[in-house]
PDB file of all heavy atoms in Angstrom:
ATOM      1  N   HIS A 206     209.779 207.114 387.625  1.00  0.00           N
ATOM      2  CA  HIS A 206     210.557 207.945 386.699  1.00  0.00           C
ATOM      3  C   HIS A 206     211.928 208.253 387.277  1.00  0.00           C
ATOM      4  O   HIS A 206     212.944 208.225 386.565  1.00  0.00           O
ATOM      5  CB  HIS A 206     209.794 209.241 386.417  1.00  0.00           C
ATOM      6  CG  HIS A 206     210.446 210.098 385.374  1.00  0.00           C
ATOM      7  ND1 HIS A 206     211.374 211.065 385.674  1.00  0.00           N
ATOM      8  CD2 HIS A 206     210.316 210.116 384.028  1.00  0.00           C
ATOM      9  CE1 HIS A 206     211.788 211.653 384.575  1.00  0.00           C
ATOM     10  NE2 HIS A 206     211.150 211.102 383.553  1.00  0.00           N
ATOM     11  N   ARG A 207     211.967 208.513 388.571  1.00  0.00           N
ATOM     12  CA  ARG A 207     213.241 208.774 389.233  1.00  0.00           C
ATOM     13  C   ARG A 207     214.131 207.537 389.204  1.00  0.00           C
ATOM     14  O   ARG A 207     215.350 207.618 389.017  1.00  0.00           O
ATOM     15  CB  ARG A 207     213.000 209.223 390.666  1.00  0.00           C
ATOM     16  CG  ARG A 207     214.276 209.599 391.433  1.00  0.00           C
ATOM     17  CD  ARG A 207     213.960 210.063 392.836  1.00  0.00           C
ATOM     18  NE  ARG A 207     213.179 211.282 392.833  1.00  0.00           N
ATOM     19  CZ  ARG A 207     212.781 211.906 393.939  1.00  0.00           C
ATOM     20  NH1 ARG A 207     213.066 211.407 395.123  1.00  0.00           N
ATOM     21  NH2 ARG A 207     212.087 213.017 393.865  1.00  0.00           N
ATOM     22  N   ALA A 208     213.513 206.353 389.381  1.00  0.00           N
ATOM     23  CA  ALA A 208     214.277 205.108 389.342  1.00  0.00           C
ATOM     24  C   ALA A 208     214.920 204.904 387.973  1.00  0.00           C
ATOM     25  O   ALA A 208     216.085 204.505 387.863  1.00  0.00           O
ATOM     26  CB  ALA A 208     213.375 203.922 389.690  1.00  0.00           C
ATOM     27  N   LEU A 209     214.174 205.203 386.896  1.00  0.00           N
ATOM     28  CA  LEU A 209     214.734 205.088 385.553  1.00  0.00           C
ATOM     29  C   LEU A 209     215.875 206.073 385.348  1.00  0.00           C
ATOM     30  O   LEU A 209     216.899 205.746 384.728  1.00  0.00           O
ATOM     31  CB  LEU A 209     213.636 205.337 384.515  1.00  0.00           C
ATOM     32  CG  LEU A 209     212.670 204.185 384.242  1.00  0.00           C
ATOM     33  CD1 LEU A 209     211.540 204.665 383.343  1.00  0.00           C
ATOM     34  CD2 LEU A 209     213.391 203.021 383.603  1.00  0.00           C
ATOM     35  N   HIS A 210     215.700 207.286 385.869  1.00  0.00           N
ATOM     36  CA  HIS A 210     216.744 208.304 385.748  1.00  0.00           C
ATOM     37  C   HIS A 210     218.023 207.851 386.449  1.00  0.00           C
ATOM     38  O   HIS A 210     219.130 207.973 385.900  1.00  0.00           O
ATOM     39  CB  HIS A 210     216.235 209.618 386.346  1.00  0.00           C
ATOM     40  CG  HIS A 210     217.252 210.704 386.383  1.00  0.00           C
ATOM     41  ND1 HIS A 210     217.626 211.435 385.270  1.00  0.00           N
ATOM     42  CD2 HIS A 210     218.010 211.207 387.420  1.00  0.00           C
ATOM     43  CE1 HIS A 210     218.547 212.315 385.594  1.00  0.00           C
ATOM     44  NE2 HIS A 210     218.789 212.206 386.900  1.00  0.00           N
ATOM     45  N   ILE A 211     217.863 207.316 387.659  1.00  0.00           N
ATOM     46  CA  ILE A 211     219.027 206.852 388.415  1.00  0.00           C
ATOM     47  C   ILE A 211     219.679 205.668 387.709  1.00  0.00           C
ATOM     48  O   ILE A 211     220.907 205.584 387.598  1.00  0.00           O
ATOM     49  CB  ILE A 211     218.619 206.483 389.848  1.00  0.00           C
ATOM     50  CG1 ILE A 211     218.252 207.750 390.632  1.00  0.00           C
ATOM     51  CG2 ILE A 211     219.731 205.723 390.572  1.00  0.00           C
ATOM     52  CD1 ILE A 211     217.675 207.479 391.994  1.00  0.00           C
ATOM     53  N   ALA A 212     218.848 204.731 387.229  1.00  0.00           N
ATOM     54  CA  ALA A 212     219.397 203.559 386.546  1.00  0.00           C
ATOM     55  C   ALA A 212     220.199 203.963 385.311  1.00  0.00           C
ATOM     56  O   ALA A 212     221.246 203.364 385.008  1.00  0.00           O
ATOM     57  CB  ALA A 212     218.263 202.618 386.150  1.00  0.00           C
ATOM     58  N   ASN A 213     219.732 204.983 384.612  1.00  0.00           N
ATOM     59  CA  ASN A 213     220.443 205.458 383.436  1.00  0.00           C
ATOM     60  C   ASN A 213     221.824 206.015 383.801  1.00  0.00           C
ATOM     61  O   ASN A 213     222.807 205.785 383.095  1.00  0.00           O
ATOM     62  CB  ASN A 213     219.604 206.527 382.732  1.00  0.00           C
ATOM     63  CG  ASN A 213     220.255 207.056 381.472  1.00  0.00           C
ATOM     64  OD1 ASN A 213     220.650 206.270 380.603  1.00  0.00           O
ATOM     65  ND2 ASN A 213     220.368 208.361 381.353  1.00  0.00           N
ATOM     66  N   HIS A 214     221.902 206.717 384.942  1.00  0.00           N
ATOM     67  CA  HIS A 214     223.179 207.308 385.348  1.00  0.00           C
ATOM     68  C   HIS A 214     224.119 206.300 386.010  1.00  0.00           C
ATOM     69  O   HIS A 214     225.345 206.485 385.993  1.00  0.00           O
ATOM     70  CB  HIS A 214     222.930 208.488 386.295  1.00  0.00           C
ATOM     71  CG  HIS A 214     222.459 209.728 385.598  1.00  0.00           C
ATOM     72  ND1 HIS A 214     221.153 209.904 385.189  1.00  0.00           N
ATOM     73  CD2 HIS A 214     223.117 210.864 385.218  1.00  0.00           C
ATOM     74  CE1 HIS A 214     221.033 211.079 384.597  1.00  0.00           C
ATOM     75  NE2 HIS A 214     222.199 211.688 384.608  1.00  0.00           N
ATOM     76  N   THR A 215     223.555 205.268 386.623  1.00  0.00           N
ATOM     77  CA  THR A 215     224.418 204.264 387.275  1.00  0.00           C
ATOM     78  C   THR A 215     224.828 203.148 386.325  1.00  0.00           C
ATOM     79  O   THR A 215     225.696 202.345 386.664  1.00  0.00           O
ATOM     80  CB  THR A 215     223.705 203.639 388.479  1.00  0.00           C
ATOM     81  OG1 THR A 215     222.457 203.070 388.062  1.00  0.00           O
ATOM     82  CG2 THR A 215     223.449 204.691 389.552  1.00  0.00           C
ATOM     83  N   LEU A 216     224.197 203.099 385.139  1.00  0.00           N
ATOM     84  CA  LEU A 216     224.489 202.026 384.195  1.00  0.00           C
ATOM     85  C   LEU A 216     225.977 201.892 383.861  1.00  0.00           C
ATOM     86  O   LEU A 216     226.519 200.783 383.855  1.00  0.00           O
ATOM     87  CB  LEU A 216     223.671 202.227 382.911  1.00  0.00           C
ATOM     88  CG  LEU A 216     223.882 201.193 381.799  1.00  0.00           C
ATOM     89  CD1 LEU A 216     223.504 199.798 382.287  1.00  0.00           C
ATOM     90  CD2 LEU A 216     223.063 201.555 380.564  1.00  0.00           C
ATOM     91  N   PRO A 217     226.694 202.999 383.598  1.00  0.00           N
ATOM     92  CA  PRO A 217     228.118 202.844 383.263  1.00  0.00           C
ATOM     93  C   PRO A 217     228.945 202.208 384.388  1.00  0.00           C
ATOM     94  O   PRO A 217     229.997 201.643 384.123  1.00  0.00           O
ATOM     95  CB  PRO A 217     228.578 204.292 383.007  1.00  0.00           C
ATOM     96  CG  PRO A 217     227.333 205.042 382.689  1.00  0.00           C
ATOM     97  CD  PRO A 217     226.264 204.412 383.515  1.00  0.00           C
ATOM     98  N   TYR A 218     228.462 202.309 385.627  1.00  0.00           N
ATOM     99  CA  TYR A 218     229.208 201.758 386.758  1.00  0.00           C
ATOM    100  C   TYR A 218     228.813 200.309 387.044  1.00  0.00           C
ATOM    101  O   TYR A 218     229.663 199.402 387.007  1.00  0.00           O
ATOM    102  CB  TYR A 218     228.989 202.619 388.007  1.00  0.00           C
ATOM    103  CG  TYR A 218     229.397 204.061 387.805  1.00  0.00           C
ATOM    104  CD1 TYR A 218     228.444 205.048 387.587  1.00  0.00           C
ATOM    105  CD2 TYR A 218     230.741 204.440 387.810  1.00  0.00           C
ATOM    106  CE1 TYR A 218     228.808 206.375 387.394  1.00  0.00           C
ATOM    107  CE2 TYR A 218     231.117 205.756 387.600  1.00  0.00           C
ATOM    108  CZ  TYR A 218     230.142 206.719 387.395  1.00  0.00           C
ATOM    109  OH  TYR A 218     230.521 208.029 387.185  1.00  0.00           O
ATOM    110  N   LEU A 219     227.532 200.076 387.306  1.00  0.00           N
ATOM    111  CA  LEU A 219     227.103 198.724 387.662  1.00  0.00           C
ATOM    112  C   LEU A 219     227.211 197.765 386.488  1.00  0.00           C
ATOM    113  O   LEU A 219     227.285 196.552 386.684  1.00  0.00           O
ATOM    114  CB  LEU A 219     225.662 198.756 388.179  1.00  0.00           C
ATOM    115  CG  LEU A 219     225.440 199.511 389.496  1.00  0.00           C
ATOM    116  CD1 LEU A 219     224.000 199.373 389.952  1.00  0.00           C
ATOM    117  CD2 LEU A 219     226.383 199.013 390.580  1.00  0.00           C
ATOM    118  N   ARG A 220     227.231 198.284 385.280  1.00  0.00           N
ATOM    119  CA  ARG A 220     227.363 197.409 384.111  1.00  0.00           C
ATOM    120  C   ARG A 220     228.702 196.674 384.113  1.00  0.00           C
ATOM    121  O   ARG A 220     228.852 195.623 383.500  1.00  0.00           O
ATOM    122  CB  ARG A 220     227.209 198.238 382.827  1.00  0.00           C
ATOM    123  CG  ARG A 220     227.287 197.439 381.534  1.00  0.00           C
ATOM    124  CD  ARG A 220     226.147 196.446 381.414  1.00  0.00           C
ATOM    125  NE  ARG A 220     226.333 195.576 380.264  1.00  0.00           N
ATOM    126  CZ  ARG A 220     225.882 195.837 379.049  1.00  0.00           C
ATOM    127  NH1 ARG A 220     225.217 196.946 378.824  1.00  0.00           N
ATOM    128  NH2 ARG A 220     226.073 194.988 378.066  1.00  0.00           N
ATOM    129  N   THR A 221     229.667 197.224 384.830  1.00  0.00           N
ATOM    130  CA  THR A 221     230.977 196.567 384.879  1.00  0.00           C
ATOM    131  C   THR A 221     231.180 195.750 386.150  1.00  0.00           C
ATOM    132  O   THR A 221     232.283 195.263 386.409  1.00  0.00           O
ATOM    133  CB  THR A 221     232.105 197.619 384.761  1.00  0.00           C
ATOM    134  OG1 THR A 221     231.987 198.556 385.839  1.00  0.00           O
ATOM    135  CG2 THR A 221     232.029 198.345 383.434  1.00  0.00           C
ATOM    136  N   GLY A 222     230.117 195.616 386.968  1.00  0.00           N
ATOM    137  CA  GLY A 222     230.217 194.744 388.139  1.00  0.00           C
ATOM    138  C   GLY A 222     230.023 195.480 389.452  1.00  0.00           C
ATOM    139  O   GLY A 222     230.118 196.707 389.527  1.00  0.00           O
ATOM    140  N   LEU A 223     229.743 194.712 390.510  1.00  0.00           N
ATOM    141  CA  LEU A 223     229.496 195.281 391.838  1.00  0.00           C
ATOM    142  C   LEU A 223     230.812 195.335 392.615  1.00  0.00           C
ATOM    143  O   LEU A 223     231.073 194.528 393.496  1.00  0.00           O
ATOM    144  CB  LEU A 223     228.455 194.428 392.579  1.00  0.00           C
ATOM    145  CG  LEU A 223     227.840 195.037 393.847  1.00  0.00           C
ATOM    146  CD1 LEU A 223     227.177 196.368 393.535  1.00  0.00           C
ATOM    147  CD2 LEU A 223     226.831 194.073 394.455  1.00  0.00           C
ATOM    148  N   THR A 224     231.623 196.335 392.295  1.00  0.00           N
ATOM    149  CA  THR A 224     232.896 196.540 392.982  1.00  0.00           C
ATOM    150  C   THR A 224     232.765 197.731 393.932  1.00  0.00           C
ATOM    151  O   THR A 224     231.771 198.469 393.898  1.00  0.00           O
ATOM    152  CB  THR A 224     234.017 196.818 391.967  1.00  0.00           C
ATOM    153  OG1 THR A 224     233.730 198.051 391.284  1.00  0.00           O
ATOM    154  CG2 THR A 224     234.106 195.688 390.937  1.00  0.00           C
ATOM    155  N   GLU A 225     233.765 197.934 394.784  1.00  0.00           N
ATOM    156  CA  GLU A 225     233.721 199.065 395.718  1.00  0.00           C
ATOM    157  C   GLU A 225     233.668 200.394 394.977  1.00  0.00           C
ATOM    158  O   GLU A 225     232.899 201.288 395.350  1.00  0.00           O
ATOM    159  CB  GLU A 225     234.935 199.017 396.647  1.00  0.00           C
ATOM    160  CG  GLU A 225     234.857 197.945 397.710  1.00  0.00           C
ATOM    161  CD  GLU A 225     235.925 198.133 398.768  1.00  0.00           C
ATOM    162  OE1 GLU A 225     236.569 199.204 398.783  1.00  0.00           O
ATOM    163  OE2 GLU A 225     236.120 197.213 399.589  1.00  0.00           O
ATOM    164  N   LYS A 226     234.466 200.525 393.937  1.00  0.00           N
ATOM    165  CA  LYS A 226     234.498 201.779 393.187  1.00  0.00           C
ATOM    166  C   LYS A 226     233.149 202.053 392.535  1.00  0.00           C
ATOM    167  O   LYS A 226     232.609 203.175 392.614  1.00  0.00           O
ATOM    168  CB  LYS A 226     235.593 201.713 392.119  1.00  0.00           C
ATOM    169  CG  LYS A 226     235.702 202.974 391.269  1.00  0.00           C
ATOM    170  CD  LYS A 226     236.807 202.829 390.229  1.00  0.00           C
ATOM    171  CE  LYS A 226     236.870 204.082 389.353  1.00  0.00           C
ATOM    172  NZ  LYS A 226     237.921 203.956 388.308  1.00  0.00           N
ATOM    173  N   ASN A 227     232.578 201.039 391.888  1.00  0.00           N
ATOM    174  CA  ASN A 227     231.292 201.215 391.221  1.00  0.00           C
ATOM    175  C   ASN A 227     230.164 201.445 392.223  1.00  0.00           C
ATOM    176  O   ASN A 227     229.254 202.253 391.983  1.00  0.00           O
ATOM    177  CB  ASN A 227     230.980 199.986 390.361  1.00  0.00           C
ATOM    178  CG  ASN A 227     231.940 199.835 389.198  1.00  0.00           C
ATOM    179  OD1 ASN A 227     232.576 200.804 388.781  1.00  0.00           O
ATOM    180  ND2 ASN A 227     232.062 198.630 388.678  1.00  0.00           N
ATOM    181  N   ALA A 228     230.206 200.722 393.340  1.00  0.00           N
ATOM    182  CA  ALA A 228     229.171 200.874 394.361  1.00  0.00           C
ATOM    183  C   ALA A 228     229.189 202.281 394.949  1.00  0.00           C
ATOM    184  O   ALA A 228     228.138 202.888 395.168  1.00  0.00           O
ATOM    185  CB  ALA A 228     229.357 199.829 395.459  1.00  0.00           C
ATOM    186  N   GLN A 229     230.371 202.814 395.206  1.00  0.00           N
ATOM    187  CA  GLN A 229     230.465 204.152 395.770  1.00  0.00           C
ATOM    188  C   GLN A 229     229.942 205.204 394.797  1.00  0.00           C
ATOM    189  O   GLN A 229     229.236 206.139 395.188  1.00  0.00           O
ATOM    190  CB  GLN A 229     231.914 204.462 396.148  1.00  0.00           C
ATOM    191  CG  GLN A 229     232.090 205.734 396.971  1.00  0.00           C
ATOM    192  CD  GLN A 229     231.332 205.677 398.287  1.00  0.00           C
ATOM    193  OE1 GLN A 229     231.442 204.712 399.043  1.00  0.00           O
ATOM    194  NE2 GLN A 229     230.550 206.718 398.580  1.00  0.00           N
ATOM    195  N   ALA A 230     230.244 205.026 393.524  1.00  0.00           N
ATOM    196  CA  ALA A 230     229.740 205.964 392.519  1.00  0.00           C
ATOM    197  C   ALA A 230     228.218 205.901 392.441  1.00  0.00           C
ATOM    198  O   ALA A 230     227.543 206.936 392.337  1.00  0.00           O
ATOM    199  CB  ALA A 230     230.359 205.642 391.156  1.00  0.00           C
ATOM    200  N   ALA A 231     227.660 204.694 392.530  1.00  0.00           N
ATOM    201  CA  ALA A 231     226.210 204.517 392.436  1.00  0.00           C
ATOM    202  C   ALA A 231     225.486 205.149 393.625  1.00  0.00           C
ATOM    203  O   ALA A 231     224.473 205.842 393.464  1.00  0.00           O
ATOM    204  CB  ALA A 231     225.863 203.038 392.329  1.00  0.00           C
ATOM    205  N   VAL A 232     225.985 204.930 394.843  1.00  0.00           N
ATOM    206  CA  VAL A 232     225.304 205.487 396.024  1.00  0.00           C
ATOM    207  C   VAL A 232     225.412 207.007 396.052  1.00  0.00           C
ATOM    208  O   VAL A 232     224.497 207.692 396.532  1.00  0.00           O
ATOM    209  CB  VAL A 232     225.843 204.875 397.333  1.00  0.00           C
ATOM    210  CG1 VAL A 232     225.562 203.386 397.386  1.00  0.00           C
ATOM    211  CG2 VAL A 232     227.325 205.158 397.535  1.00  0.00           C
TER     212      VAL A 232
END
Side-chain angles (χ1 to χ4, degrees):
H206 186 270
R207 183 179 296 181
L209 282 172
H210 175 77
I211 290 173
N213 181 52
H214 284 79
T215 56
L216 179 61
Y218 302 102
L219 295 185
R220 182 64 187 270
T221 59
L223 193 58
T224 64
E225 286 192 11
K226 180 180 178 181
N227 294 338
Q229 190 60 50
V232 297

